[in-house]
Amino acid sequence: MSGSAVPPSRAIFQPLLAAALAEDLGLAGDVTSEAVVPASATLRAEIVARTAGRVAGLTIGTAVFGMLDDGIGVEVRTADGEDAPAGSVLATVSGPARPILTGERTALNLIGRLSGIATATRAAVAAVAGTGARITGTRKTTPGMRALEHYAIRAGGGAGHRVGLFDAILVKDNHLDLAGGITAAVAAARKRAGHLMSIEVEVETLEQLGEALAAGAKIVMLDNMDSPTLRRAVEMTAGRAVLEASGGITPDRLAEVAATGVDVISLGWLTHSAPALDVGLDVS
Amino acid sequence: MSGSAVPPSRAIFQPLLAAALAEDLGLAGDVTSEAVVPASATLRAEIVARTAGRVAGLTIGTAVFGMLDDGIGVEVRTADGEDAPAGSVLATVSGPARPILTGERTALNLIGRLSGIATATRAAVAAVAGTGARITGTRKTTPGMRALEHYAIRAGGGAGHRVGLFDAILVKDNHLDLAGGITAAVAAARKRAGHLMSIEVEVETLEQLGEALAAGAKIVMLDNMDSPTLRRAVEMTAGRAVLEASGGITPDRLAEVAATGVDVISLGWLTHSAPALDVGLDVS
Amino acid sequence: MSGSAVPPSRAIFQPLLAAALAEDLGLAGDVTSEAVVPASATLRAEIVARTAGRVAGLTIGTAVFGMLDDGIGVEVRTADGEDAPAGSVLATVSGPARPILTGERTALNLIGRLSGIATATRAAVAAVAGTGARITGTRKTTPGMRALEHYAIRAGGGAGHRVGLFDAILVKDNHLDLAGGITAAVAAARKRAGHLMSIEVEVETLEQLGEALAAGAKIVMLDNMDSPTLRRAVEMTAGRAVLEASGGITPDRLAEVAATGVDVISLGWLTHSAPALDVGLDVS
Amino acid sequence: MSGSAVPPSRAIFQPLLAAALAEDLGLAGDVTSEAVVPASATLRAEIVARTAGRVAGLTIGTAVFGMLDDGIGVEVRTADGEDAPAGSVLATVSGPARPILTGERTALNLIGRLSGIATATRAAVAAVAGTGARITGTRKTTPGMRALEHYAIRAGGGAGHRVGLFDAILVKDNHLDLAGGITAAVAAARKRAGHLMSIEVEVETLEQLGEALAAGAKIVMLDNMDSPTLRRAVEMTAGRAVLEASGGITPDRLAEVAATGVDVISLGWLTHSAPALDVGLDVS
Amino acid sequence: MSGSAVPPSRAIFQPLLAAALAEDLGLAGDVTSEAVVPASATLRAEIVARTAGRVAGLTIGTAVFGMLDDGIGVEVRTADGEDAPAGSVLATVSGPARPILTGERTALNLIGRLSGIATATRAAVAAVAGTGARITGTRKTTPGMRALEHYAIRAGGGAGHRVGLFDAILVKDNHLDLAGGITAAVAAARKRAGHLMSIEVEVETLEQLGEALAAGAKIVMLDNMDSPTLRRAVEMTAGRAVLEASGGITPDRLAEVAATGVDVISLGWLTHSAPALDVGLDVS
Amino acid sequence: MSGSAVPPSRAIFQPLLAAALAEDLGLAGDVTSEAVVPASATLRAEIVARTAGRVAGLTIGTAVFGMLDDGIGVEVRTADGEDAPAGSVLATVSGPARPILTGERTALNLIGRLSGIATATRAAVAAVAGTGARITGTRKTTPGMRALEHYAIRAGGGAGHRVGLFDAILVKDNHLDLAGGITAAVAAARKRAGHLMSIEVEVETLEQLGEALAAGAKIVMLDNMDSPTLRRAVEMTAGRAVLEASGGITPDRLAEVAATGVDVISLGWLTHSAPALDVGLDVS
């Protein structure tokens, strides 16, 4: 249940951090620290989890300090993908006071948001423990944050889904009519996909599932089905395709859905509605 | 209780939309629509609120379609800052099918997130109705989304706070020790601030409040005080300063806090933890 | 043998065009046209294929004119993915003379390069006609041009490969030692990959192929094998995995390699060494 | 015959490298290395020329590793502008395995492409050895790569041409009609050019050459002339102008063209059609 | 009279420096240094004030050298906000000759421009010494340079004004008609402004001033008034509002305007028309 | 004496305008117009020259309005490069009031600054009328504004100089020592320069001029020479090279310097110290 937690390369997250910093600094910068904190002041502070949760984004969030000043030292105490009890110290930050206070909110916003997603994911993973179902997210992410939010899902123990519109074909209901039905859509998708691009088809009924399997679909999304229907879908498929349950699966339904035997459960609320983890910076 | 809802200039939000689109399209684009939707196909679709809520970001989110194709027509049916019942049509989109399906998720993610914030704000504003207290947000926003998230708060009927570190001085607890106390901090802040820059001081006790008022502070943040203390702070201040209650104010405490007579209540959870409004695109 | 030729969304290629234009215009712009062409001059010109070839990038390349002046009209005569005889008119451009001459080279450079790749691909596709083998490219592309170069391969009748390091797992020789061998690598890759991410393993010997198949690999790259070995690999695999022949496959070997029964042949030279198609702009 | 080989400032090439890396990493990064290579693994590898050629871009290409990880050490063994025999080690790279494998392809693509151009240039320079003719490139470069491709030409022993539309006036055939002929064009160009901006006029006949010389042109491009005509042009000019032969000069014609006495020979194929040099990364 | 001189964070000014460098280097770089300065040459140089003035931008301008080469050492001798006599050494720069000469002009242009503004501001501050008036700038700044130009004003001893359109409400004459007059405008502004956003109203007559004060305006700009009128405005206001004199206040009027008792005097010419300070780089 | 006034392509100036707008709008936008101007209000305004001057940047500056709203109409009344009397209308702007007021300052800042430079240049050109000397600028420009500032010089009747470090070789005093003297520097420069790149050498004495001429220099900068020395330099050169007088040439010395017979006079103060032209927006 521990999360896969290899943070993305700095070549990926530094532009995001730079944009986040620019948003907070504007062109006039941190006028408060400039006005009231002496240039020579130093401090030592701890980033603390005020409530318990699964940590994600600690390396990324604290990298903001190095972008502000080379003299700031950061020591990460809890690895991404680990569970932190309430009150635990996630990292320490020390050095010149002004740039530390300047970067504080940007760092905390990132860590809080990503840890919130990881914490929600971890709870979902726990709820399906003992079944073969994997938890994953969707493309219902915050604009500009998808890479980091998908990473937070992995830190929470979840699996990956499409990164965007570009890395897999996912034929949804709105496509099907335009494509001339499931069989035609699967054929068209195969023609476009190279040998490394996966194809998934969304179905809403068992009849559609039958058509998709007959068309040779290897991955099928079962949209908004109740648990008995999901169970019949699993039986009907009999291992011929990977089955993903999706659509309106609330936390209280997770165990039941997982018990139907589906392979993957995808949850939009992990990214669009999970509350942030409460993290703070305490000057010691 | 209706929200102030003048969307930001397109010069501001178009770069954000472009980044959000780039994230979803990558370099290979929407391979599904390319593969299964005929180039000549057209469609007409409705953006629908699946649950009731306060709308925000409709003009902004639907602008994504014009960035993809000049032939897409958008008709906004519900203005930002209005309340939409469940099932209501917020906007219609019509034109070539491929680019509409390509832009769908980016548009919905924006509208869903901003409307979620507006909806949460509207509930908070309703909870304090009849008092003089204004609801506002904080800098605990999603990295890269602050401008739009603060706009969503206004669409929900809330007021503005600092946009960033640059447009007001806000002396917080971590600054005070380094600054040599409240009196010194207020003096230093005044020296830096021009005649248009506001100065706010955060206090945690009534004693500190007294010191702040004596130092001439005109705006004071009352951090994490219980309601009786807030009430005494209001009495003690007697109109000499604007008072902002902040820190850990949950929805159920809102009415009580507002009743103490504070002028402003700031809520981090409006932006860091409000769930998205459920919006979808239905092809008609 | 006609190419799949849906050009990428303008949201993808416009930033590339803007960078290409900026490179040619610098900050002082087209001083020649400014100096010697009257502001009021207009012209009508044809983009012509000086030698025969498969066309790619025509919509993209000519989009540069609209970025320079709203008054320039472009009429595309040959669709991407079609074969153009020598001397044929690919498109016409008409309007104010200065901006047309300013954009000429940027447009031609793009069309020439992409059509050169499409032309080379088309020849490779023709060479394997009648076999089941598909032609594809690699990541050996020009820095900054991968999306467009992969598109040109599709316009030439080829198929897609990985877009980058992010959309599929491809375990190569340099990974294998570090991963502890094929079996361990396949297991590790499965743990990381979500249900939509494909996994391919590169092998250099039939023994390695056996280990990969035993580990359950579904896609295997056969690196630098001669045709008899490829044939034995096909027999040994017996349909259990998709087989990609790769590494040093020159044009003259294509038919022979395809005849071994491999599913995919990937060719780096389509992008790193194909000559540009000779295209020019003739003022009529 | 050794090449001028001062690499451009990092302020110039780092943005190009960052864009190239971003293209390969996307937002999800190098999922293969993340999945199968242990975080603690290190390696030592050699960048090797698999065939003989003139090296260019080694400093630039290997700079990609420092952008990924501060712990990677690079030792360049062959300077840009030098000739490398087949199998020779151009550079060594050592440090943490993951980021080295992540940067491998981006580095090799750059080095391979630039060295391919340098190698083609070197061959052209060799072909005209003993004459006074200098070899140069054109603006027929890969979009986004002109600065580096022109640098590769210099590393191959070639000379510079215009960098873009902005740094010299070059009146071509399409300009001449609009400008009212050669004499008018030269006069207009002189009026616009400051004292540091060169003016070149393209002519297609000896009659035009005569007009250009009479108009005082100091640099003339002789477009698509056969060798006898070029020879007569040289005689007719008698040192009054620098003469550049251009247009359709294939490798086999180079010696002959140079022997006519022209000062400069410009070759588009150095950049639009030269094959890449085959370079690889061998883990030792 | 010494200036407030905390330079903005490098996160703010580095993108500006990068753009300035890119403008001077283009894509071909510093061809002169490359051509005539040996790669191994080193130098030691001094940045010298050729005329006396108030220094600003020294840390920022010299940061350009570190962006070009890690081996360049910079020692700042005069802090921003200090007065430098003619001929004094502001900083020393030492290290590899090529990148120092490459960065010279970019560094000097920044230091010269910002010090010119600081010097003009300092003179204005001196002219009003002994009165309570503060000198400030306006939004009449050089496009792209506002943050640094406002910083230079502070280094000259001046105060801040609005940074942009976003951080304060300033109702000017062109707004008033559209808003329905002063009283309506003040009410509308209050509705939009949060508790930290200041509101200023511009008036042109004493009658308008009376209306503004009656409407509760706390900050009023007195536009283009002569000194007797300003004096009456001060009397009429009697401390109820901060008064800013603005519009056509030439250096020779400064003392007289300040003597009227206004709180703030804003001067557009500090940024749009102050001559640069003459600074140079002397190789020692 | 009228100026060359072909404005740069919008592909060049739009990014500069976008940056300037972003600086003024920040992320919260024009809060004043949003607050006090009704959404439906329209206006018609005139851009007026408050003092007489040479106009530059009118097309560029007013392009800002189209970036804010498609409904704004702009009519340019005075072409760049023309002289405008005090009070004359340069352009009219009409349409929705809010975006016009939002763009006002950005447009005026650009027009004022560029027209200020054009006006100063025009005066300098007038001062040398009747001589053969051309007036030009230098690289002492505002960071980020060089392209537009050099354009303003041309609009003022001046000529071009180097655009940056990349488009010509200019060997200055600091290079000479490192290069081993003038003769060596000229030789090294020739080796690097292609046939279109000009080479200029700076000299401070007549002896150096002699050495430069002997080395074959075709363009020589005479640095900081008094008029008698300049005259002797002209005689000594006798037409063998273009001579540029540079360094400390104040307006009152212009006629005298021009009379010495130099070909070019370059003036740093045109860009680093010319006051802006006073332009305003009057709502009619």
Side-chain angles (χ1 to χ4, degrees):
Chain A
M1 211 173 95
S2 82
S4 160
V6 181
S9 167
R10 69 181 182 196
I12 293 172
F13 71 71
Q14 274 184 343
L16 298 172
L17 283 191
L21 258 187
E23 177 186 58
D24 206 22
L25 291 179
L27 292 170
D30 178 1
V31 288
T32 306
S33 296
E34 178 189 333
V36 309
V37 176
S40 60
T42 61
L43 61 76
R44 192 182 169 285
E46 293 173 337
I47 296 179
V48 177
R50 304 224 185 282
T51 56
R54 171 64 60 98
V55 173
L58 208 46
T59 310
I60 301 170
T62 54
V64 85
F65 296 111
M67 296 173 75
L68 288 167
D69 196 292
D70 295 327
I72 303 177
V74 173
E75 192 186 336
V76 171
R77 295 277 184 86
T78 309
D80 280 13
E82 290 183 2
D83 292 315
S88 59
V89 175
L90 306 181
T92 60
V93 186
S94 55
R98 278 182 183 164
I100 291 177
L101 295 174
T102 298
E104 170 187 357
R105 179 49 43 215
T106 300
L108 294 180
N109 282 352
L110 261 162
I111 298 167
R113 176 158 193 85
L114 297 184
S115 298
I117 291 171
T119 300
T121 305
R122 174 180 166 279
V125 170
V128 304
T131 72
R134 299 176 81 176
I135 297 295
T136 184
T138 67
R139 284 167 51 244
K140 296 185 177 179
T141 53
T142 314
M145 292 284 290
R146 186 171 295 154
L148 299 187
E149 293 187 350
H150 278 195
Y151 165 67
I153 287 175
R154 293 199 303 277
H161 206 286
R162 280 201 291 182
V163 176
L165 289 165
F166 52 87
D167 59 334
I169 290 180
L170 176 37
V171 185
K172 309 201 75 172
D173 56 345
N174 282 339
H175 297 106
L176 282 179
D177 288 343
L178 299 162
I182 289 175
T183 308
V186 170
R190 273 215 192 103
K191 204 173 152 207
R192 169 63 177 82
H195 68 292
L196 286 171
M197 182 175 282
S198 297
I199 300 169
E200 180 165 5
V201 184
E202 181 187 272
V203 301
E204 291 173 322
T205 65
L206 295 178
E207 190 181 3
Q208 283 184 313
L209 172 60
E211 186 179 349
L213 293 171
K218 295 294 178 214
I219 314 175
V220 180
M221 177 182 285
L222 307 169
D223 185 41
N224 264 312
M225 292 184 180
D226 58 20
S227 298
T229 311
L230 286 173
R231 198 176 306 269
R232 267 175 292 159
V234 171
E235 290 163 7
M236 192 172 145
T237 302
R240 282 176 293 168
V242 171
L243 294 180
E244 171 183 356
S246 186
I249 303 173
T250 48
D252 54 297
R253 275 191 65 207
L254 270 174
E256 178 192 301
V257 168
T260 63
V262 295
D263 303 287
V264 178
I265 302 174
S266 57
L267 304 169
W269 48 266
L270 295 180
T271 48
H272 68 59
S273 297
L277 187 72
D278 191 1
V279 290
L281 182 100
D282 293 337
V283 176
S284 48
Chain B
M1 211 173 95
S2 81
S4 161
V6 182
S9 168
R10 68 182 184 196
I12 293 172
F13 70 71
Q14 275 184 342
L16 298 171
L17 283 190
L21 259 186
E23 178 186 58
D24 206 24
L25 291 178
L27 292 170
D30 178 1
V31 289
T32 305
S33 297
E34 177 190 333
V36 310
V37 176
S40 60
T42 61
L43 62 75
R44 192 182 168 286
E46 292 173 339
I47 296 180
V48 177
R50 306 223 184 283
T51 55
R54 169 66 58 99
V55 173
L58 208 46
T59 310
I60 302 170
T62 54
V64 86
F65 296 111
M67 296 172 75
L68 288 168
D69 196 292
D70 295 327
I72 303 177
V74 173
E75 193 186 335
V76 171
R77 296 276 185 85
T78 309
D80 281 13
E82 291 182 2
D83 292 315
S88 59
V89 175
L90 305 181
T92 60
V93 187
S94 56
R98 278 181 182 165
I100 292 176
L101 295 174
T102 299
E104 170 186 357
R105 180 48 43 214
T106 299
L108 295 180
N109 282 353
L110 260 162
I111 298 166
R113 175 158 192 84
L114 297 184
S115 298
I117 292 170
T119 301
T121 305
R122 175 181 165 279
V125 170
V128 303
T131 71
R134 299 175 82 177
I135 296 295
T136 185
T138 66
R139 283 168 50 244
K140 297 185 177 179
T141 53
T142 314
M145 292 284 289
R146 187 172 295 154
L148 299 187
E149 294 186 351
H150 278 195
Y151 165 67
I153 287 175
R154 293 199 302 277
H161 207 286
R162 280 202 290 183
V163 176
L165 289 165
F166 52 88
D167 59 334
I169 291 181
L170 176 37
V171 185
K172 309 199 76 173
D173 55 346
N174 282 339
H175 296 107
L176 281 179
D177 287 344
L178 299 161
I182 289 174
T183 307
V186 170
R190 272 213 194 106
K191 204 173 150 208
R192 169 64 177 80
H195 68 291
L196 286 170
M197 182 175 282
S198 298
I199 300 169
E200 181 166 2
V201 184
E202 181 187 272
V203 302
E204 292 173 321
T205 65
L206 294 177
E207 190 181 2
Q208 283 185 312
L209 171 60
E211 186 179 351
L213 292 171
K218 294 296 178 212
I219 313 174
V220 180
M221 178 182 283
L222 307 169
D223 185 42
N224 263 312
M225 291 184 179
D226 58 19
S227 298
T229 311
L230 287 172
R231 198 176 305 269
R232 266 175 292 158
V234 171
E235 289 164 8
M236 192 172 144
T237 302
R240 281 176 294 167
V242 172
L243 294 180
E244 171 184 358
S246 186
I249 302 174
T250 48
D252 55 298
R253 274 190 66 207
L254 269 174
E256 178 191 303
V257 168
T260 63
V262 295
D263 303 287
V264 178
I265 303 175
S266 57
L267 303 168
W269 48 266
L270 295 180
T271 47
H272 67 60
S273 296
L277 188 71
D278 191 1
V279 290
L281 182 101
D282 293 338
V283 176
S284 46
Chain C
M1 212 173 94
S2 82
S4 161
V6 181
S9 169
R10 68 182 183 196
I12 293 172
F13 70 71
Q14 274 183 343
L16 297 172
L17 283 190
L21 259 186
E23 177 186 58
D24 206 23
L25 291 178
L27 293 170
D30 178 2
V31 288
T32 305
S33 296
E34 178 190 332
V36 309
V37 177
S40 61
T42 62
L43 61 77
R44 194 184 167 284
E46 294 173 338
I47 296 179
V48 177
R50 305 224 185 281
T51 56
R54 170 65 58 98
V55 173
L58 208 46
T59 311
I60 301 169
T62 54
V64 86
F65 295 111
M67 297 173 74
L68 288 168
D69 196 293
D70 295 327
I72 303 177
V74 173
E75 194 187 334
V76 170
R77 296 277 184 85
T78 309
D80 281 13
E82 290 182 3
D83 292 316
S88 59
V89 175
L90 306 182
T92 59
V93 187
S94 55
R98 277 183 182 163
I100 291 176
L101 295 174
T102 298
E104 170 186 357
R105 178 51 41 215
T106 299
L108 295 180
N109 283 352
L110 261 162
I111 298 167
R113 174 157 192 85
L114 298 184
S115 298
I117 292 171
T119 300
T121 305
R122 175 181 165 280
V125 170
V128 304
T131 72
R134 299 175 82 177
I135 296 295
T136 185
T138 66
R139 285 168 50 245
K140 296 185 177 179
T141 53
T142 314
M145 293 284 290
R146 187 172 296 155
L148 299 187
E149 293 186 350
H150 277 195
Y151 165 68
I153 287 175
R154 293 199 303 278
H161 207 286
R162 280 201 291 182
V163 176
L165 289 165
F166 51 87
D167 59 333
I169 290 181
L170 175 38
V171 184
K172 308 200 75 173
D173 56 346
N174 283 339
H175 296 107
L176 282 179
D177 288 342
L178 298 162
I182 288 175
T183 306
V186 170
R190 274 214 193 103
K191 205 173 150 206
R192 169 64 177 82
H195 68 292
L196 286 171
M197 182 176 281
S198 297
I199 299 170
E200 180 165 3
V201 184
E202 181 188 272
V203 300
E204 290 173 322
T205 64
L206 294 177
E207 189 181 3
Q208 282 184 315
L209 172 60
E211 185 179 348
L213 293 172
K218 295 296 178 214
I219 313 175
V220 180
M221 178 183 285
L222 307 169
D223 185 41
N224 263 313
M225 291 184 180
D226 58 21
S227 298
T229 311
L230 286 172
R231 197 176 306 269
R232 267 175 292 158
V234 171
E235 290 164 7
M236 190 171 144
T237 302
R240 282 176 293 169
V242 172
L243 294 180
E244 171 184 358
S246 186
I249 303 173
T250 47
D252 55 297
R253 275 191 64 207
L254 269 174
E256 177 191 303
V257 168
T260 63
V262 295
D263 303 288
V264 178
I265 303 174
S266 57
L267 304 168
W269 48 266
L270 295 180
T271 48
H272 68 58
S273 297
L277 187 72
D278 190 1
V279 290
L281 182 101
D282 293 338
V283 176
S284 46
Chain D
M1 211 172 97
S2 81
S4 161
V6 181
S9 168
R10 70 182 182 195
I12 293 173
F13 70 72
Q14 275 184 342
L16 297 172
L17 283 190
L21 258 186
E23 178 187 57
D24 206 23
L25 290 178
L27 292 171
D30 178 2
V31 289
T32 305
S33 296
E34 178 189 332
V36 310
V37 176
S40 60
T42 60
L43 61 76
R44 192 182 169 286
E46 293 172 340
I47 296 179
V48 176
R50 304 224 184 283
T51 55
R54 169 66 59 98
V55 174
L58 207 46
T59 312
I60 301 170
T62 54
V64 86
F65 296 111
M67 295 174 74
L68 289 168
D69 196 293
D70 295 327
I72 303 177
V74 173
E75 193 186 335
V76 171
R77 296 277 184 84
T78 309
D80 280 13
E82 290 183 3
D83 293 315
S88 59
V89 175
L90 306 181
T92 60
V93 186
S94 56
R98 279 181 182 165
I100 291 176
L101 295 174
T102 299
E104 170 186 356
R105 179 49 41 216
T106 300
L108 294 180
N109 283 352
L110 261 162
I111 298 167
R113 175 159 192 82
L114 298 183
S115 297
I117 291 170
T119 301
T121 306
R122 175 181 165 279
V125 169
V128 304
T131 72
R134 299 177 82 177
I135 296 294
T136 184
T138 67
R139 283 167 51 243
K140 297 185 177 178
T141 53
T142 314
M145 293 284 289
R146 187 171 297 155
L148 300 187
E149 293 186 351
H150 278 194
Y151 166 67
I153 287 174
R154 294 199 303 277
H161 207 285
R162 279 202 292 183
V163 177
L165 288 165
F166 52 88
D167 59 333
I169 290 181
L170 175 38
V171 185
K172 309 199 76 173
D173 55 346
N174 284 337
H175 296 106
L176 282 179
D177 288 343
L178 299 162
I182 289 175
T183 307
V186 170
R190 273 214 193 104
K191 205 174 150 205
R192 169 63 177 81
H195 68 293
L196 286 170
M197 181 174 283
S198 298
I199 300 169
E200 180 165 3
V201 184
E202 181 187 273
V203 301
E204 292 173 320
T205 64
L206 294 178
E207 188 181 4
Q208 283 184 312
L209 172 60
E211 186 179 351
L213 292 172
K218 294 296 177 212
I219 313 175
V220 181
M221 177 182 285
L222 307 169
D223 185 41
N224 264 312
M225 292 184 178
D226 58 20
S227 298
T229 311
L230 286 172
R231 200 176 305 269
R232 267 175 291 158
V234 172
E235 290 163 9
M236 190 172 147
T237 303
R240 283 176 293 168
V242 171
L243 294 180
E244 171 183 357
S246 186
I249 302 174
T250 47
D252 54 297
R253 275 191 65 208
L254 270 174
E256 178 192 303
V257 169
T260 63
V262 294
D263 303 287
V264 179
I265 303 174
S266 57
L267 304 169
W269 48 266
L270 296 180
T271 48
H272 68 59
S273 296
L277 188 71
D278 191 1
V279 291
L281 182 100
D282 293 337
V283 176
S284 47
Chain E
M1 210 172 98
S2 81
S4 162
V6 180
S9 168
R10 68 180 183 197
I12 293 172
F13 70 72
Q14 275 183 343
L16 297 172
L17 283 190
L21 259 186
E23 177 187 58
D24 206 23
L25 291 178
L27 293 170
D30 178 2
V31 289
T32 306
S33 295
E34 177 190 332
V36 309
V37 176
S40 60
T42 62
L43 63 75
R44 192 182 169 286
E46 294 173 338
I47 296 179
V48 176
R50 305 224 185 282
T51 55
R54 170 64 60 97
V55 173
L58 208 46
T59 311
I60 301 170
T62 54
V64 86
F65 296 111
M67 297 173 74
L68 289 168
D69 196 292
D70 295 326
I72 303 178
V74 173
E75 193 186 334
V76 170
R77 296 278 183 85
T78 308
D80 280 13
E82 290 183 2
D83 292 315
S88 59
V89 175
L90 306 181
T92 60
V93 186
S94 56
R98 278 182 182 163
I100 291 177
L101 295 174
T102 298
E104 170 187 355
R105 179 51 39 217
T106 300
L108 294 181
N109 282 352
L110 262 162
I111 298 166
R113 176 158 192 83
L114 298 183
S115 299
I117 292 171
T119 301
T121 305
R122 174 181 165 279
V125 170
V128 303
T131 73
R134 299 176 82 177
I135 296 296
T136 185
T138 67
R139 284 169 49 244
K140 296 184 176 178
T141 53
T142 314
M145 292 285 289
R146 188 172 296 156
L148 299 187
E149 293 186 350
H150 278 195
Y151 165 67
I153 287 174
R154 294 199 302 277
H161 207 286
R162 281 202 290 182
V163 177
L165 289 165
F166 52 87
D167 59 334
I169 291 181
L170 176 37
V171 185
K172 309 200 76 173
D173 56 345
N174 283 339
H175 297 107
L176 282 179
D177 288 342
L178 299 161
I182 288 175
T183 307
V186 170
R190 274 214 192 104
K191 204 174 153 207
R192 170 63 178 80
H195 68 293
L196 286 170
M197 182 174 284
S198 298
I199 301 169
E200 180 165 3
V201 184
E202 181 186 271
V203 301
E204 291 173 322
T205 64
L206 294 178
E207 189 179 3
Q208 282 184 314
L209 172 60
E211 186 179 349
L213 292 172
K218 295 294 179 214
I219 314 176
V220 180
M221 178 182 285
L222 307 169
D223 185 41
N224 264 313
M225 292 184 181
D226 58 19
S227 298
T229 312
L230 286 172
R231 198 174 306 267
R232 267 176 290 159
V234 171
E235 289 163 8
M236 192 172 145
T237 302
R240 282 177 291 169
V242 172
L243 294 180
E244 171 184 358
S246 186
I249 303 174
T250 47
D252 54 297
R253 276 191 63 208
L254 270 173
E256 178 192 303
V257 169
T260 64
V262 296
D263 303 287
V264 178
I265 302 173
S266 56
L267 304 169
W269 48 266
L270 295 179
T271 48
H272 67 60
S273 297
L277 188 72
D278 191 2
V279 291
L281 183 101
D282 293 337
V283 176
S284 46
Chain F
M1 212 174 96
S2 81
S4 162
V6 181
S9 169
R10 69 181 183 197
I12 293 173
F13 70 72
Q14 275 184 343
L16 297 172
L17 282 191
L21 259 186
E23 178 187 57
D24 206 24
L25 291 178
L27 293 170
D30 178 1
V31 289
T32 305
S33 297
E34 177 190 333
V36 310
V37 177
S40 59
T42 60
L43 61 76
R44 193 183 168 286
E46 293 173 338
I47 296 179
V48 177
R50 304 224 186 282
T51 55
R54 170 66 59 97
V55 173
L58 208 45
T59 311
I60 301 170
T62 54
V64 85
F65 296 111
M67 296 173 75
L68 289 168
D69 195 292
D70 294 328
I72 303 177
V74 173
E75 193 186 334
V76 171
R77 296 277 184 84
T78 309
D80 281 13
E82 290 183 2
D83 292 315
S88 59
V89 175
L90 306 182
T92 61
V93 187
S94 55
R98 277 182 182 164
I100 291 176
L101 295 175
T102 299
E104 171 186 355
R105 180 50 40 216
T106 300
L108 295 180
N109 283 352
L110 261 161
I111 298 166
R113 176 159 191 83
L114 298 184
S115 297
I117 292 171
T119 301
T121 306
R122 174 181 165 279
V125 169
V128 304
T131 73
R134 299 176 81 178
I135 296 294
T136 185
T138 67
R139 283 168 51 242
K140 296 184 177 178
T141 54
T142 314
M145 293 284 289
R146 187 172 296 156
L148 300 187
E149 294 186 350
H150 278 194
Y151 164 68
I153 287 175
R154 293 200 302 276
H161 207 285
R162 281 203 291 184
V163 177
L165 289 164
F166 51 88
D167 59 332
I169 291 181
L170 175 38
V171 185
K172 309 200 75 173
D173 56 346
N174 282 338
H175 297 106
L176 282 179
D177 288 342
L178 298 161
I182 289 175
T183 307
V186 170
R190 273 215 193 102
K191 205 174 151 204
R192 169 63 178 83
H195 67 293
L196 286 171
M197 183 175 282
S198 297
I199 300 169
E200 180 166 4
V201 184
E202 182 187 272
V203 302
E204 291 173 323
T205 64
L206 294 178
E207 188 181 3
Q208 282 184 313
L209 172 60
E211 184 178 350
L213 293 172
K218 296 293 179 216
I219 313 176
V220 180
M221 178 183 285
L222 308 169
D223 185 40
N224 264 312
M225 292 183 181
D226 57 19
S227 298
T229 311
L230 286 172
R231 199 176 305 268
R232 266 176 292 158
V234 171
E235 290 162 8
M236 190 173 145
T237 302
R240 282 176 292 167
V242 171
L243 294 181
E244 172 183 358
S246 187
I249 303 174
T250 46
D252 54 297
R253 274 191 65 208
L254 270 173
E256 178 192 302
V257 169
T260 63
V262 294
D263 303 287
V264 179
I265 303 174
S266 57
L267 304 168
W269 49 265
L270 294 180
T271 48
H272 68 60
S273 296
L277 188 72
D278 190 1
V279 291
L281 182 101
D282 292 338
V283 176
S284 46

